[in-house]
Amino acid sequence: MFYIALILATALLFGWISRYTDAGLSQAVESQDNESAFSVFTGFVKHHAASDFGLMLLQIIVILVVARGFAWLFTKVGQPAVIGEIIAGIALGPSILGLIAPGLFTKLFPVESIDSIALLSQFGLILFMFVIGMELDLSEIKKRFRQTVVISHAGIIIPFILGAVAAVGLYGRYASEETPLLPFVLFIGISMSITAFPVLARILQERGEMKSNLGIITLASAANGDITAWCLLAMILAISQAGSAASIVFTLLFAALYLLAMFLLIKPLFKVVGNAYTNTEIVGKGVVSLLFLTMLVSAYVTELLGLHALFGAFIAGVIMPEDHKFRRIITEKVEDVAHSIFLPLFFVVSGLRTEIGLLNSWELWFVTLLLILVAVIGKLGGSYIAARVVGENVKDSLYLGILMNTRGLMELVVLTMGLELGIIPPVVFAMLVLMTLVTTFMTTPTVSLIDAIYKRIEKVKQKRIAGVLHVFFSFGRTETGMAMIYTLHSLLKKRAHSADIMALHMTVGSDINPIQASAFKEASFKELNRYKKENDIKVEELYEVTDNPVKTILKRSEESEAQLLLVGVGHNLSAHPDDKQVRYLEDKYKAKFKLGSPILTALFNTQLLREKTSIFIKEHKGNVGVLMDKGFKTVSDRVLIIKESPEASELIHERYQKLIAALADASFVRSAVEFSSLEAQEDELKKYDLVVLSQTTWEKHFEASPSLIQQLPTTLILYPKSDI
């Protein structure tokens, strides 16, 4: 009653107010000269769409959609997402959109609106550089200091010298008149020396090399090089901004004092904070505010000193506590926002400044090619020579050189600084952006080429042992992985201790932060590790970060020479509560909107819902097992093996028998029954915890019978495709 009285009182109040406003409203309506209400509404909408804030929101929406679209396309061809995002920025700029649809380009990105996007993107870059600083593992640099300092500094000095020599030749013809020779030469030199640490780390993640000797040396060298290069860049910026030699001395002096304060005063303080706050529950807003405040103050100080705010944000990240749990917590709070929203804005701002049309002569394109060659020869060649000097073999030295030659976003950040400060003109900026794209784009295919030449298998294979089953299984959810282990242990019994079993878990999305990836791996294999210790069985753990899980599973299982690939059933047959909920919501959506099949296929064809089982069965050369888990929680002796169906060919029948003999304990094999004897006894199936059957039996008796599937316990469907 109180609520009803409240509503009535509100209605009476509005009625009373309207008595005194009717006259004014009537006069307003008459003054519109029969203007329709809809035209008033559309005018109202246009006014807000044309406002500064409305335009900025539209720009951000367009930028994010286009950036993610290009990133998705490039990951599908094996390239880092950052390449697609950089191309998206250029596509929305004057080089492509401005050329194809100049009217649309002018309306979408009017000149006066660029400053607002640029300011937002700069804040995003500060967050990004803070994360990059936290990603650097100083402990690894210390462990490999002798090797990494030689490789990283050779990878900076050699391209720096080559770039500086090239810059001397370019200065008179391509530098702006206001730019002195020294800053121009130094800046071109340092732009040749940059390595994209984030892109490099993600490539190593995708290849499973993070913990290998090559991965550790490459990461440590890149981290060492990043610190050196950014310190050199800060010095070059100080030189370019200072008005005199004496001013340069003061700038460098105060920069040194700043670094001493950060590493000797602030870093020890945060070490205490890192040890005190090691889980998400106790890292509250106060701690996060303190970290952000430190980052912003550091950025502000370096901006005042003429070193650029990004250098301060980078140093703030470096001095954060080295505890991986603490860094992961903070990274998770910052990285997604920086990567998903702010960085695409930066790419578009860079794209708006990149005018490929300025390269309007063969001479300019020749100079661009020359800069690309200088960058590749200097960085790749310098890193390769240094790696050979410190004792790495030819193959790993080549890999290291190719990876260190990756420039990506880091190079784009540096180039943007040079353009904003007037050190390089727009035409040189365009040349160097193209150099950045080429050197980043070439990394993945060049590494693949080296793989092909050397026929390099990334995983060291164990020698095949006669009479031992080699099983490779992939899992997403931890409970699915454990169900697979329980299934194998239930079937093999004592032979499980000697079986060669490999388990793969993947994180989908190559832009995952290495610190997060390490945490995901630890969480995914935690239960499996516990079970291994308790039962004294060997299971080799593989972890991958990938954009194409199906391809990765097929590739890794082939490399492992597995006799059986074990995968989970698709979501349409899964008994997991999450999958049941997905099916329920999907069916509800179909019924509600009565959408046609093509629309539904496009709508629900996502990474989570796409059925991959059929792809494994079709493309994997060896035997495939598909596990339909109904909540298999422990090892069990209640196992039923169903014999091959009489309808199967002689070859399939023989392969199935061999696979069962290799996979199952002899007691189960001897008690195998034909399905016809159980066909009228659905309740008989409930007596077992695990049923093993062949593809032929499944297709003939179960696939078209939902009621029979409902009666099945956890079921392993075997597709015998090769001899054991």
Side-chain angles (χ1 to χ4, degrees), residues 65-140:
V65 169
V66 174
R68 292 315 304 165
F70 272 81
W72 179 83
L73 286 174
F74 275 80
T75 55
K76 290 303 175 186
V77 295
Q79 289 295 331
V82 67
I83 287 285
E85 291 174 331
I86 294 173
I87 296 291
I90 294 174
L92 288 173
S95 301
I96 298 180
L97 182 62
L99 189 65
I100 298 173
L104 176 61
F105 173 72
T106 304
K107 286 184 179 180
L108 187 57
F109 297 107
V111 176
E112 61 273 13
S113 71
I114 304 304
D115 288 342
S116 300
I117 304 177
L119 284 174
L120 278 175
S121 71
Q122 286 298 312
F123 183 73
L125 284 179
I126 287 175
L127 293 175
F128 172 74
M129 292 306 298
F130 179 62
V131 171
I132 293 301
M134 285 198 294
E135 285 185 2
L136 298 183
D137 191 343
L138 296 180
S139 62
E140 289 296 337

Side-chain angles (χ1 to χ4, degrees), residues 152-221:
S152 62
H153 288 180
I156 290 174
I157 294 170
I158 294 174
F160 183 90
I161 292 172
L162 293 178
V165 170
V168 171
L170 297 175
Y171 177 74
R173 193 171 181 86
Y174 299 104
S176 60
E177 295 179 0
E178 297 80 12
T179 306
L181 174 63
L182 183 60
F184 181 80
V185 170
L186 293 177
F187 187 84
I188 296 295
I190 200 65
S191 70
M192 297 289 136
S193 307
I194 298 296
T195 293
F197 180 83
V199 178
L200 180 148
R202 282 154 180 74
I203 291 173
L204 288 171
Q205 263 185 182
E206 290 178 15
R207 295 173 56 79
E209 297 276 13
M210 291 291 282
K211 299 300 181 183
S212 68
N213 177 65
L214 171 66
I216 292 170
I217 289 179
T218 304
L219 282 173
S221 298

Side-chain angles (χ1 to χ4, degrees), residues 290-304:
L290 176 62
L291 299 180
F292 279 178
L293 183 62
T294 303
M295 175 192 73
L296 292 172
V297 170
S298 178
Y300 181 65
V301 170
T302 53
E303 181 72 14
L304 292 179

